[in-house]
Amino acid sequence: MKKFILSALCSLTLLGAATHQAAAQDVFSHDDQVLSVGVGLSSSTYETTFPPLSITYERSVADRLIQRGSFGLGGVIEFRGYTQGSLNGSAIFIGPRASFHYEFVDNLDTYIAAHAGFHYQTRFVDNDTKSKVGFMPYFTVGIRYALSPGFGIFGEVGTGISVLKVGASFSF
């Protein structure tokens, strides 16, 4: 799975660089919207049965902060499945997200983000189901590279269901 993700990420990078170079512009300006879909590595010590998947939406609500900086608001949903012995379970996180973006290099959006929301976990052990809901804060550091004006790739490291994730971003 790791080799597939790395190969896909490299292929997308080479394809984008070879076919279209994005014009030098702010990659996250006022009223821009970005939908990102990613796959990650679990932060759990349990064996992963379904890799962590994430969907993130952001909208830039203020830009030109500290020259090339912008502030975004949105939301995030993450899901994963896991097992350990006779224990099977799943976890889902859903909550709002606030982020600060800064473009140090053209077409490369670097950002920090905070999410705070509900972490719902279900465990199945020997025909017994246990669920719990908790309020969890998570923090992320990420980069997004614009391969074209409407498409890019991203990588994030942080806390949450995934400690590391990569994927594709669509701007509109």
Side-chain angles (χ1 to χ4, degrees), residues 42-137:
S42 177
S43 61
S44 171
T45 57
Y46 297 122
E47 182 179 329
T48 299
T49 58
F50 193 85
L53 297 179
S54 68
I55 298 174
T56 304
Y57 168 80
E58 285 185 284
R59 181 183 185 117
S60 176
V61 295
D63 66 352
R64 307 277 185 237
L65 305 172
I66 314 170
Q67 296 176 340
R68 297 179 82 173
S70 60
F71 181 72
L73 292 175
V76 62
I77 297 173
E78 287 188 288
F79 172 82
R80 74 173 163 97
Y82 59 90
T83 186
Q84 184 175 37
S86 63
L87 171 87
N88 291 306
S90 62
I92 189 167
F93 173 83
I94 185 166
R97 172 178 167 131
S99 57
F100 178 74
H101 299 254
Y102 196 85
E103 188 177 353
F104 290 101
V105 178
D106 287 342
N107 302 321
L108 184 65
D109 179 20
T110 55
Y111 55 90
I112 56 172
H115 348 299
F118 294 100
H119 185 107
Y120 177 76
Q121 191 167 15
T122 303
R123 295 179 178 190
F124 309 99
V125 182
D126 301 325
N127 295 327
D128 184 29
T129 302
K130 295 181 180 180
S131 298
K132 69 178 184 177
V133 177
F135 181 80
M136 302 293 287

Side-chain angles (χ1 to χ4, degrees), residues 12-28 68 103 105-109 144-153 169 171:
L12 286 173
T13 303
L14 293 174
L15 176 65
T19 60
H20 189 334
Q21 182 175 352
Q25 61 184 2
D26 292 335
V27 290
F28 195 63
R68 297 179 82 173
E103 188 177 353
V105 178
D106 287 342
N107 302 321
L108 184 65
D109 179 20
R144 182 170 38 233
Y145 183 74
L147 297 171
S148 70
F151 178 73
I153 55 175
S169 294
S171 301

Side-chain angles (χ1 to χ4, degrees), residues 141-169:
V141 175
I143 59 171
R144 182 170 38 233
Y145 183 74
L147 297 171
S148 70
F151 178 73
I153 55 175
F154 78 93
E156 292 182 350
V157 176
T159 59
I161 288 180
S162 298
V163 292
L164 171 69
K165 56 184 141 169
V166 296
S169 294

